[in-house]
Amino acid sequence: MADVARVAGVSSQTVSRVSNGFPGVNEETRQQVLAAMKELGYRPNSAARALKRGEFRTIGVITFSLSTTGNVRTLEAIATSAAQEGYAVTLLPVAVPTQDEVRGAFSRLGELAVDAVIVIMEVHLLDTARLSLPPHVKVVVADSDAGDRHTVVDTDQAGGTRDAVRHLLGLGHRTVWHLAGPEESYAAQRRADAWRAALADEERRAPPLVRGDWSADSGYRAGLHLAAQDDCTAVFAANDQMALGLLRALQESGRRVPQDVSVIGFDDIPESGSFLPPLTTVHQDFAEVGRRCVEGVLRQVRQSGTERGTTLVPTRLVVRRSTAAPPVR
């Protein structure tokens, strides 16, 4: 730092203010200091600054799966939003979502020096007594039903599902079949519950639920079963990947989409508009979910407090060519 001050012709205190991003340094002087840093190859010691300030400008992220579209896109959005705030992200995948694994993950993140933690929790754990997060830790949880104990950010699962079901009923379908996600998934359960409720609101019969595992292969297998149901004219799939497999199964079984069967997905992945036919789907704003997760956890860091409650990010229905009026019988 003394060498930088000498080359720039300023005091060491000025160099310190520039390197730490403090205000009060005019632009010409700041540029002189930055040029001197570049010339000498000087880089501020972030570890030393963290010890001095008591903050590490790093957010830890614990996730139980990187195999689903939602989790990957939420993680990407968190990393982008954190970078815009000048924070880095430390990722810690947890293979088995148990109390011991979560406790160990928080312990490891503590050793890695993070200011707060975001938990991407797709599975049913925080809404039961089986899992609790360490007290006094600044935490935001994505995709959970634990708003009475933590800060939670989630997509409006029920609202998106309701829009999908109402769209299909509005086209004239008597009822809507549901290709659900895995039973242990919180999002899958919320979408299945909202599907039943939306049909009940319109006094429509709910057909037997068909379950997949989020993958296109499981959608294909379920689709072969649905194609054999003569009274199946509309299907709401809990994600776009299963909808993709469903489309293939219907086509191979001689059931045309949308002339014979209408199909709606959930997620609006970038490829959904290129499905054959282009998929009507519920758009999730993953970027907004990630931004609000970072915003919520940094608010706790800066205000030195904890929060409770759930923030729902709105969805919107994207209508393409996979839905139409039912066939005339």
Side-chain angles (χ1 to χ4, degrees):
M1 188 176 292
D3 292 338
V4 172
R6 175 177 52 78
V7 171
V10 299
S11 68
S12 295
Q13 182 180 12
T14 298
V15 175
S16 177
R17 296 184 69 82
V18 171
S19 66
N20 286 286
F22 292 146
V25 180
N26 69 57
E27 184 61 21
E28 183 180 354
T29 301
R30 191 176 73 86
Q31 290 300 330
Q32 289 176 353
V33 171
L34 292 176
M37 287 180 177
K38 184 176 181 180
E39 178 183 341
L40 296 174
Y42 171 80
R43 289 178 297 177
N45 189 320
S46 58
R49 286 190 298 177
L51 289 173
K52 183 177 180 180
R53 292 183 180 182
E55 64 177 32
F56 304 97
R57 301 195 72 79
T58 300
I59 298 171
V61 177
I62 296 175
T63 181
F64 299 120
S65 173
L66 288 174
S67 62
T68 63
T69 298
N71 285 1
V72 171
R73 294 183 65 184
T74 300
L75 177 60
E76 178 185 20
I78 288 171
T80 300
S81 297
Q84 291 172 349
E85 294 287 342
Y87 278 73
V89 167
T90 296
L91 174 65
L92 194 62
V94 174
V96 183
T98 64
Q99 180 69 61
D100 288 343
E101 286 287 331
V102 172
R103 188 182 297 113
F106 271 92
S107 177
R108 291 193 294 278
L109 282 176
E111 295 170 359
L112 293 171
V114 300
D115 298 303
V117 179
I118 296 173
V119 182
I120 303 175
M121 184 171 294
E122 182 192 350
V123 294
H124 281 292
L125 282 176
L126 281 183
D127 52 350
T128 70
R130 289 183 290 162
L131 180 65
S132 61
L133 302 182
H136 313 304
V137 176
K138 298 173 178 62
V139 176
V140 166
V141 182
D143 197 3
S144 175
D145 191 21
D148 57 336
R149 284 169 287 159
H150 304 285
T151 301
V152 174
V153 178
D154 189 24
T155 294
D156 186 1
Q157 314 281 355
T161 298
R162 190 164 51 246
D163 289 345
V165 173
R166 287 177 177 174
H167 172 70
L168 291 167
L169 295 180
L171 290 171
H173 296 274
R174 294 183 178 181
T175 190
V176 178
W177 292 65
H178 183 40
L179 172 50
E183 193 169 3
E184 66 273 12
S185 166
Y186 164 77
Q189 188 60 53
R190 288 299 292 268
R191 293 170 199 177
D193 290 346
W195 161 73
R196 290 192 185 92
L199 289 177
D201 288 344
E202 301 295 329
E203 299 182 346
R204 305 297 179 93
R205 174 187 63 86
L209 181 145
V210 181
R211 199 173 289 279
D213 62 8
W214 296 133
S215 70
D217 284 345
S218 72
Y220 175 76
R221 293 190 296 270
L224 294 176
H225 168 73
L226 290 168
Q229 313 304 312
D230 291 337
D231 59 342
C232 177
T233 65
V235 182
F236 165 53
N239 79 334
D240 290 351
Q241 292 290 343
M242 291 194 298
L244 175 61
L246 170 63
L247 291 174
R248 176 190 164 200
L250 290 171
Q251 190 273 333
E252 290 183 359
S253 301
R255 303 290 299 276
R256 299 168 301 165
V257 178
Q259 293 91 335
D260 300 320
V261 182
S262 288
V263 175
I264 287 185
F266 202 110
D267 281 342
D268 193 22
I269 62 176
E271 300 82 8
S272 60
S274 299
F275 288 2
L276 191 63
L279 183 67
T280 297
T281 185
V282 177
H283 176 82
Q284 290 200 76
D285 194 342
F286 294 105
E288 183 65 9
V289 170
R291 188 190 70 79
R292 294 197 185 191
C293 284
V294 172
E295 180 184 78
V297 83
L298 291 185
R299 188 164 54 245
Q300 295 181 43
V301 169
R302 291 161 180 167
Q303 297 177 0
S304 298
T306 58
E307 299 177 341
R308 296 179 182 179
T310 299
T311 297
L312 292 180
V313 176
T315 61
R316 59 182 172 86
L317 184 65
V318 180
V319 179
R320 297 193 179 101
R321 298 207 300 271
S322 66
T323 52
V328 177
R329 296 186 182 279

